[in-house]
Amino acid sequence: MSIALIIPDRKLDDLQQRLQQALPDTRIEIWPELHDPAEVEFAVVWKQPHGCLNGLINLKAIQCFGAGVDSILADPTLPNLPVSRIVDPALTEAMIGYLDGVVNYYRLQLDVFSRQQQQSVWRPKSPRKLNHIAVLGLGELGGAVANHFYGSGYQVSGWARSGKSLKNIQCFAGEGQLAQAVAAADVVICLLPLTPTTENLLGENFFSTLKPAAIFINVARGAIVDEQALLAALERGALAAACLDVFRQEPLSSASPLWQHPAVLITPHVSAVTNVSTVVSQIADNYRRAQQGSALLNPVDVVRGY
Ligand code: NAP
Ligand code: GLV
């Protein structure tokens, strides 16, 4: 019996080797070079070509190699099998580290100084007063990020689909309360999953509810944001700046106006990258669970989309 790693365009030697060490009696194969597709019982998947799981007639479960499962669920021919995803303290720590860096970048006005440097301008400024952070999505990552910033001295509000009671975080729920969740925010961080409900959720109306000095950070998925509406909102001064780690189309096209916009900071989807060494044990555990027919760790609700 075997595990197929279906993660195109990525070097998989390290993952293959570590999984092999954890499961010495199981064949670990890199798709599309499979010894016998009928032997594959478990697939570790990221951005799979649509349809590629259908030939695996004995597949028992699908393990997403990241936290967000949108690219996996987008396959219209996805077999009706349990799907699990990565939940990992190391991933959460990486996300917090990235966001801490970005918030401090803006607090210290490094965006302004970087533009001044390009013009050889020497104009000191004191730090921006960033007091209130709003976090959209209060799941594994959003909840930890909200707590982190509260612990660093910020007022924090959060928004989720269902009502939450998180100590010290002012929680809002449902589309009707989105505007309230961000109304007082100096920084808004998006950590929502991409689902049919959240696609294009953050558009003209949303950006109109922000404070004109607000900074928007998207570390979730690009398609949650209407990029044209964001650019228009920046142009009319509905918000001050945006830091984008994720895009509707990745890599971001060299023709995108986002690259050149002075109020946009771009990073190439690096805020929290799955750490092979810390996730191997949960993948191996899920393989054993799938073989035994037990519930997977970190299951995904395929109907809800996250
Ligand atoms: P999660 O645990 O599934 O949490 C999702 C949160 O979003 C939950 O609080 C959920 O509300 C809320 N939500 C879902 N649909 C909503 C809606 N329609 N309206 C309001 N709130 C809604 O996800 P996670 O592990 O925190 O990860 C979040 C996302 O981060 C992932 O899906 C992925 O796309 C992205 N990500 C990006 C990177 C990167 O490198 N850029 C790395 C990792 C993850 P409930 O609590 O009420 O269900
Ligand atoms: C990365 O984007 C992830 O979803 O893990």
Side-chain angles (χ1 to χ4, degrees):
M1 288 300 135
S2 80
I3 296 180
L5 308 181
I6 309 182
I7 309 178
D9 305 326
R10 190 121 148 202
K11 259 188 117 259
L12 294 173
D13 310 7
D14 189 28
L15 176 60
Q16 185 182 33
Q17 238 170 50
R18 286 176 191 265
L19 266 179
Q20 196 64 79
Q21 268 165 19
L23 299 165
D25 300 327
T26 305
R27 190 197 296 265
I28 314 291
E29 307 188 278
I30 299 178
W31 180 90
E33 275 140 42
L34 304 179
H35 169 72
D36 177 0
E39 281 194 7
V40 176
E41 286 186 316
F42 191 79
V44 183
V45 173
W46 185 253
K47 293 190 178 172
Q48 82 279 14
H50 292 182
C52 78
L53 295 167
N54 287 317
L56 310 179
I57 53 174
N58 289 312
L59 193 64
K60 292 192 166 95
I62 300 163
Q63 166 76 59
C64 174
F65 190 58
V69 292
D70 47 288
S71 71
I72 288 162
L73 303 188
D75 182 347
T77 68
L78 193 74
N80 182 16
L81 292 169
V83 178
S84 67
R85 70 186 188 107
I86 296 298
V87 173
D88 180 17
L91 194 78
T92 307
E93 207 178 297
M95 185 59 88
I96 288 173
Y98 173 95
L99 289 169
D100 229 15
V102 171
V103 169
N104 278 319
Y105 170 85
Y106 286 111
R107 192 178 61 75
L108 295 171
Q109 308 249 32
L110 299 185
D111 55 329
V112 175
F113 295 137
S114 164
R115 288 195 294 270
Q116 287 186 185
Q117 181 177 348
Q118 280 164 25
Q119 293 157 355
S120 311
V121 170
W122 180 279
R123 192 179 299 143
K125 274 175 168 284
S126 35
R128 276 194 183 95
K129 289 191 172 43
L130 303 178
N131 299 317
H132 186 132
I133 296 187
V135 183
L136 310 182
L138 292 171
E140 290 292 338
L141 297 174
V145 164
N147 285 328
H148 167 78
F149 282 112
Y150 175 77
S152 307
Y154 292 89
Q155 284 175 54
V156 181
S157 55
W159 185 71
R161 196 176 53 92
S162 56
K164 302 251 174 291
S165 61
L166 297 181
K167 200 164 168 230
N168 305 314
I169 313 295
Q170 197 181 5
C171 293
F172 297 88
E175 240 179 282
Q177 294 193 343
L178 176 56
Q180 268 172 282
V182 299
D186 302 303
V187 177
V188 177
I189 296 170
C190 177
L191 268 166
L192 293 165
L194 174 61
T195 68
T197 316
T198 62
E199 185 164 6
N200 287 320
L201 177 75
L202 308 183
E204 190 184 339
N205 286 346
F206 169 75
F207 291 115
S208 302
T209 61
L210 302 184
K211 295 206 296 200
I215 291 149
F216 173 70
I217 305 174
N218 188 11
V219 280
R221 286 292 183 267
I224 297 169
V225 175
D226 176 342
E227 285 173 359
Q228 294 312 317
L230 170 61
L231 279 165
L234 286 165
E235 285 305 314
R236 67 172 189 275
L239 72 163
C243 168
L244 306 174
D245 183 51
V246 286
F247 302 87
R248 190 171 294 266
Q249 186 199 327
E250 293 182 3
L252 181 62
S253 157
S254 58
S256 170
L258 289 168
W259 283 113
Q260 306 306 334
H261 199 289
V264 177
L265 174 64
I266 289 176
T267 58
H269 201 144
V270 293
S271 52
V273 177
T274 298
N275 180 332
V276 173
S277 63
T278 56
V279 298
V280 158
S281 63
Q282 70 180 271
I283 296 175
D285 198 349
N286 265 342
Y287 168 66
R288 291 188 207 99
R289 284 163 180 260
Q291 275 193 313
Q292 292 156 7
S294 4
L296 300 181
L297 299 172
N298 311 317
V300 171
D301 180 333
V302 172
V303 175
R304 208 175 55 169
Y306 67 99

